[in-house]
């Protein structure tokens, strides 16, 4: 799947237990759909893993499906899906 700058940006905000391998499993859901995230950020703070994934190239239904799949992973506490704007490099 190829994306362009005109494609809407989907942002996933995920809260999870800091479980080894969970970041790779989350990223794999995008790889399965041939989507390379514009941003993949992971931080552990206060005993919680916070992930942010911004990507283009997913239709609305597919984006919602990914959110549902992620929400069912063991260790994931919350998944939010929203529209986002990426800043263009100057």
């Amino acid at each position: 799947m190829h994306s362009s700058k005109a494609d809407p940006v989907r942002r996933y905000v995920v809260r999870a237990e800091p479980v080894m391998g969970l970041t790779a499993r989350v990223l794999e859901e995008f790889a399965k759909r041939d989507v390379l995230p514009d941003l993949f950020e992971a931080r552990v703070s206060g005993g919680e893993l916070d992930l942010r994934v911004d990507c283009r190239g997913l239709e609305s239904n597919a984006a919602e499906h990914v959110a549902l799949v992620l929400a069912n992973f063991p260790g994931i506490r919350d998944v939010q899906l929203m529209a986002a704007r990426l800043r263009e490099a100057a």
Side-chain angles (χ1 to χ4, degrees), residues 9-87:
V9 177
R10 315 284 181 185
R11 174 169 292 161
Y12 296 83
V13 178
V14 179
R15 285 189 169 175
E17 298 172 19
V19 177
M20 187 64 71
L22 189 57
T23 55
R25 290 182 61 212
V26 169
L27 189 56
E28 182 180 21
E29 287 305 310
F30 298 93
K32 285 179 185 178
R33 290 156 179 86
D34 200 24
V35 172
L36 179 64
D38 293 285
L39 174 83
F40 187 89
E41 183 177 75
R43 292 189 179 168
V44 176
S45 177
E48 191 161 86
L49 173 63
D50 294 315
L51 301 173
R52 181 176 138 196
V53 184
D54 290 354
C55 65
R56 303 174 204 261
L58 285 174
E59 298 289 332
S60 182
N61 289 342
E64 291 173 16
H65 178 74
V66 168
L68 288 172
V69 169
L70 295 178
N72 285 302
F73 281 0
I76 290 191
R77 297 177 179 149
D78 183 54
V79 177
Q80 296 178 25
L81 171 61
M82 60 196 77
R85 280 190 146 168
L86 295 179
R87 288 187 226 167

